[in-house]
Amino acid sequence: MRFALSLSAVFVIATFAAGGLSWLFVSQELSRRLQTDVQSAAGALAGIAEAGDRTDLSEQITAQARAVRDGATLYAFVDGETGKITGSLQLAAPFEGAKQLSPDRDFPPPLSSGRPHEDPYLAYGIRTPLGWVIVAHDTQGIVETGEIMVRATGAATVAALILSLGLALVIARRTGARIGRMESVLDAIGNGNLARRIGDTGNDDLADLARRVDLMLDRLQRSIAAIRQVSTDVAHDLRAPLARLRMRLEPHALSPAVPGAIRAEIGQALEDIDGISATFDAILRLSRLESGTAEARSETVNLTALTQSVHDILEPAANDMGHSLMLDSGPGNVTVTGDQDLLMQALVNLVDNALRHCPPPARVTLSLREGPHGPTLAVTDDGPGIPAADRARVLDRFVRLDASRTVPGSGLGLSLVAAIARHHGARMSLTDNHPGLRVSLSFRQSAQDLTSG
């Protein structure tokens, strides 16, 4: 909109400036021609004076003055000996050369159509042996021409203002829509939807910029896909060797023939192997969700029962860690359409994150609310929380903040939850719980709405 107003202002200023310059040049040219005319007329009368015939000069001036009845042109002969003025121009004092005269101030104004002249006169005086010969002509024509040009400039300015505003608004709307699409795509890319593209088909600079952004996003998506594929391939290829290694170590951990200290070390190694296997499983599951190859079910999921189950499963572990796990699910059953196993995985990850990253004793609450646009699952705690600047990047793979380096984990828990949320069309948000962190999954509509819609 600012561009539209600026463009309109430029049009108006340009039109106004063109009209002003035209008025200036035309006025100057008309004044120059009028000055030439009065100078020529005065020169012709001065030629008679040069001949020394005072009577002839007076008669010529009187005849010229009588011939002009509208007072547009005035003539005067000021006798050099007596000071007597002959003609229609009654000046207080004669002069030589060009001069602009004003009625009332320099001479009594003549009448035109019953009204006295108000416009100034351009005059030229020549001193001769007999006296001064002066001819003056009014500038009414110049003034009227100027008034016409001012009205024309005003009308052109209004027309330019209307046209430029209309054109600028059309351009601004089209450009605003295209920029809005670019912003929408970039926001989607920032939220992890790397498949979005601008797709501008125009042929201007903005379209060229959009095509360059799309090409950059193509390269970025291929690079990220390659990196993810590498981690997926590594996880897939190492699962089987880890499983065989576990099978080989497990009998020794249980064998009474092995010294106790060695069995303890083997047991610790088995726990590490389980942790690595769990990380690889998370990588593979996350990859399948992001690639759309996950075999997810579409069924009616009772979120009320699901939250109750997660609470019952994790409450003992929370108590052992010195925390309290609360459930706030409200009355009635709340349902969505989705995959129950994936949604349980998401809730377990969120509660497990809160339990592991909050120093005891912490209060962790698992809540479920049915809103006007759909249900919302939330896990809140009163722990240290996550700084606002880091809340977006903790959803990326393997991102672990410095404060959580000492806590066991792979940096994949929230990434998996975000992928599950996207898979169900839910919006995942991390906000401040004052104190602590609130992680919520907002579903767009319930299963009942899906069925009726």
Side-chain angles (χ1 to χ4, degrees):
M1 193 61 190
R2 290 195 297 271
F3 173 75
L5 294 177
S6 301
L7 185 62
S8 178
V10 169
F11 269 106
V12 171
I13 292 173
T15 305
F16 189 76
L21 290 175
S22 299
W23 173 83
L24 179 63
F25 292 148
V26 170
S27 297
Q28 288 180 342
E29 178 62 21
L30 291 176
S31 297
R32 187 188 65 79
R33 292 186 180 184
L34 183 59
Q35 189 67 56
T36 301
D37 290 343
V38 296
Q39 184 174 353
S40 298
L45 293 174
I48 299 174
E50 292 291 340
D53 191 341
R54 188 184 304 273
T55 302
D56 186 24
L57 177 61
S58 297
E59 290 176 351
Q60 286 290 338
I61 288 181
T62 301
Q64 294 279 4
R66 287 177 178 174
V68 182
R69 297 182 178 275
D70 60 357
T73 305
L74 303 177
Y75 300 90
F77 167 61
V78 181
D79 195 308
E81 296 178 354
T82 63
K84 179 183 178 182
I85 300 177
T86 303
S88 54
L89 181 60
Q90 300 299 314
L91 288 170
F95 61 88
E96 290 183 77
K99 186 176 182 180
Q100 180 170 301
L101 303 177
S102 297
D104 284 329
R105 187 191 68 183
D106 298 316
F107 62 94
L111 296 178
S112 175
S113 301
R115 295 184 303 173
H117 273 267
E118 297 178 352
D119 301 320
Y121 282 67
L122 291 181
Y124 196 87
I126 299 176
R127 183 168 186 173
T128 68
L130 300 180
W132 289 267
V133 174
I134 301 173
V135 178
H137 196 289
D138 68 9
T139 59
Q140 184 177 3
I142 299 175
V143 173
E144 290 177 352
T145 301
E147 291 174 351
I148 292 173
M149 294 194 67
V150 168
R151 288 196 295 270
T153 301
T157 302
V158 172
L161 178 62
I162 295 173
L163 290 176
S164 61
L165 274 178
L167 179 61
L169 286 175
V170 171
I171 294 175
R173 285 189 176 182
R174 292 184 58 187
T175 305
R178 295 167 68 188
I179 292 176
R181 177 172 175 76
M182 293 178 68
E183 292 176 342
S184 173
V185 170
L186 293 178
D187 288 342
I189 295 295
N191 291 327
N193 186 1
L194 300 180
R196 290 284 304 274
R197 295 293 181 270
I198 300 172
D200 195 317
T201 57
N203 56 2
D204 54 6
D205 292 341
L206 193 60
D208 184 59
L209 176 62
R211 283 189 286 272
R212 290 174 182 271
V213 171
D214 283 346
L215 290 175
M216 181 194 69
L217 293 177
D218 288 341
R219 291 193 292 269
L220 178 65
Q221 186 179 23
R222 287 195 296 270
S223 299
I224 293 178
I227 293 173
R228 288 178 174 175
Q229 186 60 43
V230 169
S231 61
T232 302
D233 292 344
V234 170
H236 185 272
D237 293 343
L238 291 181
R239 285 180 69 198
L242 282 174
R244 290 196 297 271
L245 179 60
R246 195 182 196 290
M247 292 177 62
R248 292 173 60 185
L249 291 176
E250 191 172 22
H252 298 289
L254 300 176
S255 175
V258 178
I262 296 177
R263 289 207 309 272
E265 288 295 327
I266 294 175
Q268 185 63 46
L270 289 175
E271 291 182 2
D272 292 342
I273 291 173
D274 290 343
I276 296 173
S277 296
T279 300
F280 287 166
D281 288 342
I283 293 173
L284 292 175
R285 195 162 198 179
L286 183 58
S287 299
R288 285 196 291 269
L289 282 171
E290 291 177 339
S291 63
T293 58
E295 295 180 357
R297 297 190 298 272
S298 179
E299 58 190 1
T300 301
V301 180
N302 189 329
L303 292 180
T304 305
L306 186 67
T307 53
Q308 183 69 54
S309 297
V310 173
H311 173 266
D312 294 343
I313 293 172
L314 296 180
E315 186 180 27
N319 293 335
D320 291 343
M321 298 170 70
H323 302 311
S324 60
L325 179 60
M326 312 302 292
L327 176 62
D328 180 15
S329 59
N333 289 323
V334 179
T335 60
V336 294
T337 299
D339 188 305
Q340 179 163 327
D341 292 343
L342 290 178
L343 292 174
M344 176 168 278
Q345 176 74 65
L347 280 182
V348 168
N349 280 15
L350 292 178
V351 175
D352 181 64
N353 266 1
L355 296 177
R356 285 189 296 107
H357 291 284
C358 291
R363 179 185 177 90
V364 180
T365 302
L366 176 58
S367 64
L368 172 63
R369 286 287 183 273
E370 176 74 84
H373 303 293
T376 298
L377 281 170
V379 175
T380 59
D381 62 64
D382 56 0
I386 297 177
D390 296 324
R391 289 173 191 162
R393 70 185 190 95
V394 296
L395 302 182
D396 294 335
R397 290 185 178 192
F398 303 112
V399 172
R400 303 192 69 196
L401 303 181
D402 292 339
S404 61
R405 292 289 180 189
T406 58
V407 179
S410 61
L412 291 170
L414 289 178
S415 301
L416 189 56
V417 174
I420 293 173
R422 287 195 296 271
H423 184 79
H424 287 80
R427 183 171 62 87
M428 181 178 179
S429 60
L430 281 65
T431 55
D432 202 328
N433 194 43
H434 304 290
L437 181 68
R438 172 186 170 87
V439 184
S440 58
L441 302 178
S442 300
F443 297 84
R444 294 177 181 173
Q445 51 188 344
S446 64
Q448 183 178 359
D449 293 331
L450 285 171
T451 303
S452 61

